[in-house]
Every structure is written in structure tokens, then in C-alpha cells.
């Protein structure tokens, strides 16, 4: 039996046309990253001055804020001191050759710039998707002004409109079961122990604690709910940031930046 082999021709330049979904997905991600950068740069330009003490938040949007801050320090010879909210934030500060401090030395900050998982029309926030909400809240509370940076996907009228992963609640490991049951019994919804992706078992925070993601099933008075959860023994901190943010910058799909003030 003879096999007839046909030559295969390739046209690398045209291959991309075979993957329209990939093209659309990449374009969408490019818009998101551009929106993050626009919001972060606007916040740094508007709220950081020479001799400022700056709290550096955590997450993907903050990367662009540190990028812009380092650029301004280099070009304008600004003298700024940076206090991180997480291991990631500390690495960003160090890798960009910015001056690193902490709250023991620099305990009063001029501004903290941080991201959010969601912000409602009153600038009540859900934070902690990256597991850093405790240190983020401490650093935000130490600042005269707390500035939020995010892309258009995080801009909501009410909490839960965009963010479906729940509110992170940091808990002492031995207490996660009682806390979970109490939240579900008193407030409804479901409190889910967050599992790690690169290791077996639960996520462990920078502080050695576990995280419960509370997926709520109705709109609440968030200030009261936050206080109620904080009263449960074993709860360290919640991802609710109520009455803390002064202004939010949302990078939009068209390249503009939307501002929301309290």
C-alpha cells in the first residue's frame, strides 16, 4: 500500500485569524489593564506630593500606582516614604527603589492608595480578594485620605452587583467552623473557607489566619452587618470598608477616568 503525503504549507502570519475568541479575549484584557493604569496614574498625580508619607495597597491595580509613583520620584525628585499593606506591596516598593517604612516608624500617613473588589455608590467597599484586608484596613485607617483605584468592572450601585465571590472575613484558624455557622445562621447566605490554589488546604493570610468568603443572599445595612460580624469571637477583620474612602477613580473602557467622591 502506498501512502500519498501532501505537503503542508504554513502561513504563520494568518494563524491568528483561526482564533477569533483569543483575539477578543486579549483585546478585552488590554482594555482592563489600560483602565487600571489610567485610574492608578490619575490617583497618584492628584494625591501624592513631595514629602508625603504614602500607604501602598495590594493587588493588580496598585502595580500601576507604584509604577507611576516611581516615575514621579525619578522625574520630579520627590521625597516620599512608602508603607506597605502586604508582602506583595513591600516587594513592589523595594523593586521600584522607593523608600520603605512601616507603621511603627511612620504611623501617620498623608494618603493611602489601594484597589477594591467592588465599590457601591456610597463608596462602601468589598476588599480582600487577595487576602490582605486586615493590613489594608490598618494602613487605610492610618491615612488622612484613603483613595481607591479600580477598573470599570468594580464600579457598582450596590454591593454584590458585580462582585460575586463574597465578602472576605479573616478568622483565627481554630474558630473558622463556629464563625461560619454563626454567620450563616444569623445573616443567611453561605460562608466558604477559601482554598489555596498552589497548595493543598486553605489559604493562609500574611497574619497566619484563614479566610471565610461570605456570599450574602440579600442587601443589608453594611455598617450594622460589619459590626455584627466583628462581634463574633474568632473574627479578626472583615473585607467591608465602610465610611473609609474619600474618593474613587475608575478607569473606563473608553480610556477616560470616572471619579466618585463621598
Amino acid at each position: 500500500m502506498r501512502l500519498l503525503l501532501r505537503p503542508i504549507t504554513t502561513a504563520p502570519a494568518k494563524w491568528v485569524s483561526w482564533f477569533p475568541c483569543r483575539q477578543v479575549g486579549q483585546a478585552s484584557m488590554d482594555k482592563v489593564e489600560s483602565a487600571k493604569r489610567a485610574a492608578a496614574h490619575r490617583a497618584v498625580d492628584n494625591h501624592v506630593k513631595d514629602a508625603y508619607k504614602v500607604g501602598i495597597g495590594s493587588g493588580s491595580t496598585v502595580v500601576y500606582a507604584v509604577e507611576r509613583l516611581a516615575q514621579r520620584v525619578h522625574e520630579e525628585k520627590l521625597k516620599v516614604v512608602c508603607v506597605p499593606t502586604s508582602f506583595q506591596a513591600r516587594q513592589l516598593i523595594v523593586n521600584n527603589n522607593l523608600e520603605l517604612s512601616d507603621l511603627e516608624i511612620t504611623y501617620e500617613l498623608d494618603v493611602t492608595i489601594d484597589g477594591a473588589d467592588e465599590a457601591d455608590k456610597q463608596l462602601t467597599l468589598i476588599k480582600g480578594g487577595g487576602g490582605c484586608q486586615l493590613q489594608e484596613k490598618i494602613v487605610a485607617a492610618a491615612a488622612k485620605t484613603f483613595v481607591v483605584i479600580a477598573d470599570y468592572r468594580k464600579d457598582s450601585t450596590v454591593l454584590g452587583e458585580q462582585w460575586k465571590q463574597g465578602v472576605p472575613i479573616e478568622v483565627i484558624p481554630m474558630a473558622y467552623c463556629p464563625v461560619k455557622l454563626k454567620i450563616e445562621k444569623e445573616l443567611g447566605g453561605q460562608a466558604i473557607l477559601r482554598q489555596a490554589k498552589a497548595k493543598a488546604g486553605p489559604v493562609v493570610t500574611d497574619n497566619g489566619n484563614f479566610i471565610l468568603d461570605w456570599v450574602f443572599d440579600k442587601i443589608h445595612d453594611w455598617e450594622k452587618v460589619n459590626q455584627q460580624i466583628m462581634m463574633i469571637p474568632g473574627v479578626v477583620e472583615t473585607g467591608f470598608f465602610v465610611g473609609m474612602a474619600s474618593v474613587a477613580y475608575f478607569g473606563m473602557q473608553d480610556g477616560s477616568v470616572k471619579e466618585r467622591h463621598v
Side-chain angles (χ1 to χ4, degrees), residues 15-243:
W15 275 23
V16 70
S17 64
W18 290 89
F19 302 101
C21 292
R22 182 179 298 176
Q23 285 180 287
V24 172
Q26 184 61 47
S28 177
M29 287 308 298
D30 287 345
K31 282 188 177 182
V32 170
E33 294 306 311
S34 295
K36 291 178 182 180
R37 180 181 287 108
H41 284 209
R42 179 73 63 83
V44 171
D45 289 347
N46 286 358
H47 295 280
V48 177
K49 298 179 180 179
D50 190 32
Y52 261 33
K53 298 178 284 292
V54 183
I56 301 296
S58 306
S60 58
T61 309
V62 172
V63 173
Y64 298 114
V66 176
E67 168 189 270
R68 177 57 180 158
L69 181 58
Q71 183 181 22
R72 288 192 61 199
V73 167
H74 176 73
E75 294 176 354
E76 302 172 35
K77 309 303 179 187
L78 299 182
K79 300 291 184 183
V80 298
V81 175
C82 300
V83 173
T85 57
S86 65
F87 179 85
Q88 179 223 14
R90 185 184 187 280
Q91 294 303 106
L92 284 172
I93 294 166
V94 171
N95 292 341
N96 282 276
N97 298 312
L98 296 169
E99 184 175 344
L100 175 69
S101 187
D102 59 37
L103 288 179
E104 188 173 3
I105 299 169
T106 309
Y107 43 83
E108 291 183 333
L109 307 177
D110 294 291
V111 63
T112 290
I113 299 175
D114 202 352
D117 298 310
E118 189 173 38
D120 71 9
K121 62 182 180 180
Q122 297 174 323
L123 290 189
T124 298
L125 313 175
I126 293 177
K127 289 177 52 57
C132 306
Q133 68 272 12
L134 172 58
Q135 292 175 205
E136 288 173 342
K137 191 173 285 189
I138 292 170
V139 174
K144 297 173 185 174
T145 304
F146 176 33
V147 178
V148 176
I149 52 176
D151 63 79
Y152 53 89
R153 302 171 304 166
K154 312 301 177 64
D155 180 17
S156 296
T157 303
V158 296
L159 294 184
E161 181 181 329
Q162 307 275 7
W163 182 254
K164 306 298 183 182
Q165 289 90 325
V167 181
I169 300 167
E170 187 161 342
V171 299
I172 299 296
M174 68 170 289
Y176 87 89
C177 274
V179 171
K180 167 184 168 65
L181 292 174
K182 195 165 186 65
I183 289 173
E184 292 175 346
K185 181 179 180 180
E186 295 184 358
L187 297 171
Q190 190 175 13
I192 303 165
L193 181 65
R194 188 183 298 183
Q195 297 295 320
K197 289 185 170 59
K199 77 173 210 32
V203 166
V204 179
T205 70
D206 287 358
N207 312 295
N209 297 316
F210 290 171
I211 293 177
L212 291 171
D213 290 306
W214 174 47
V215 182
F216 50 87
D217 55 6
K218 62 181 179 180
I219 303 302
H220 295 264
D221 180 328
W222 301 121
E223 184 173 7
K224 289 182 179 179
V225 164
N226 183 57
Q227 293 173 349
Q228 185 175 350
I229 294 174
M230 286 298 300
M231 291 300 294
I232 300 173
V235 171
V236 179
E237 190 53 86
T238 80
F240 285 119
F241 283 54
V242 184

